Amino acid sequence: DTGVSQNPRHKITKRGQNVTFRCDPISEHNRLYWYRQTLGQGPEFLTYFQNEAQLEKSRLLSDRFSAERPKGSFSTLEIQRTEQGDSAMYLCASSPTEYWSSYNEQFFGPGTRLTVL
Amino acid sequence: SQQGEEDPQALSIQEGENATMNCSYKTSINNLQWYRQNSGRGLVHLILIRSNEREKHSGRLRVTLDTSKKSSSLLITASRAADTASYFCATGLRSNDYKLSFGAGTTVTVRA
């Protein structure tokens, strides 16, 4: 399968624990995005990478959140000291860079559903 | 805060009927995209329309964009049960700003 993959698909954790999610983008895509989606809402942008560089972070991304993309391939999103308000679907997406177009469709993974008890 | 706002929030139609949903946004945009999300799954890109375009078609989908009214519409013709999903509009604000700002979505139910 050459789509975007995310692991784990579901994560249940207790408040205060740390969690880490992984995203594997489509291999030739050099842009990678993280979004968060709560029930009944659309996705909200968290951060994005171009290759290994993290180019933008939303104000939604508190100090407890950190994202990395070593070597410009897969990415991880870590949440430290989880809170009940962190319960959401965390979506990863990737897109290619095409010299003729400055905007592209994004290809989304299936998401990781986080439940904080 | 979310840039787009879809209307209606929910839509129920009979198979074979057309479904129309609208998206309004607040600031000027570079492009607008529509995505579909089946229950509990990731989003699938449907169509992208640039700010200098007014209408695009893709199969049974027709999208219009009115930048003077800051609004877009998505029409699904001859709906099928498989079209049951949530539909989101997403805006890209600038040519060098690749993140998308999504609305809250329209939930479409197609009855057999």
Side-chain angles (χ1 to χ4, degrees), chain A residues 9 13 17-20 24 32 40 51 53 57 60-61 64 72 82 88 95 105-106 110 112-113:
Chain A
R9 294 291 307 277
T13 191
Q17 298 294 305
N18 299 345
V19 294
T20 301
D24 287 89
L32 186 147
N51 300 313
K57 292 169 61 174
L60 291 175
L61 216 64
R64 297 184 297 105
T82 52
S95 69
E105 67 177 279
Q106 294 182 15
T112 294
R113 183 170 295 283

Side-chain angles (χ1 to χ4, degrees), chain B residues 38 69 97:
Chain B
N38 292 90
K69 295 181 179 177
D97 184 351

Side-chain angles (χ1 to χ4, degrees), chain B residues 10-71:
Chain B
L11 183 59
S12 180
I13 55 173
Q14 200 73 30
E15 204 165 25
E17 293 180 338
N18 296 342
T20 300
M21 59 210 84
N22 303 296
C23 168
S24 58
Y25 55 90
K26 300 171 187 172
T27 63
S28 60
I29 60 171
N30 177 278
N31 67 92
L32 186 144
Q33 305 180 34
W34 285 91
Y35 286 80
R36 181 186 74 221
Q37 185 177 38
N38 292 90
S39 180
R41 297 191 176 182
L43 284 80
V44 174
H45 180 266
L46 296 176
I47 197 164
L48 181 154
I49 187 165
R50 296 173 174 79
S51 58
N52 61 353
E53 298 175 315
R54 292 296 167 258
E55 187 170 315
K56 280 190 89 167
H57 297 255
S58 176
R60 295 184 294 113
L61 305 179
R62 172 177 167 253
V63 167
T64 63
L65 179 63
D66 186 335
T67 53
S68 67
K69 295 181 179 177
K70 293 187 171 59
S71 68

Side-chain angles (χ1 to χ4, degrees), chain A residues 31 33 35 37 40-45 48 56 89 91 100-106 108-110, chain B residues 1-2 30-31 33 35 37 40-43 45 48 50 88 95-100 102-104:
Chain A
R31 292 192 190 129
Y33 314 81
Y35 293 86
Q37 184 179 25
Q41 298 298 313
E44 293 178 294
F45 170 78
Y48 106 88
E56 188 169 348
M89 175 81 88
L91 294 164
W100 51 266
S101 174
S102 59
Y103 36 78
N104 308 99
E105 67 177 279
Q106 294 182 15
F108 281 81
Chain B
S1 64
Q2 297 192 300
N30 177 278
N31 67 92
Q33 305 180 34
Y35 286 80
Q37 185 177 38
R41 297 191 176 182
L43 284 80
H45 180 266
L48 181 154
R50 296 173 174 79
F88 296 91
S95 62
N96 61 349
D97 184 351
Y98 306 108
K99 66 179 181 289
L100 294 175
F102 286 82

Side-chain angles (χ1 to χ4, degrees), chain A residues 19 21 36 46 54 57 60-67 77-83 85-87 90 114:
Chain A
V19 294
F21 310 141
R36 181 173 69 188
L46 293 178
Q54 187 174 19
K57 292 169 61 174
L60 291 175
L61 216 64
S62 76
D63 291 345
R64 297 184 297 105
F65 288 71
S66 62
L77 177 68
E78 181 183 16
I79 309 174
Q80 295 183 327
R81 305 181 303 282
T82 52
E83 302 172 355
D86 297 331
S87 295
Y90 289 84
L114 173 66

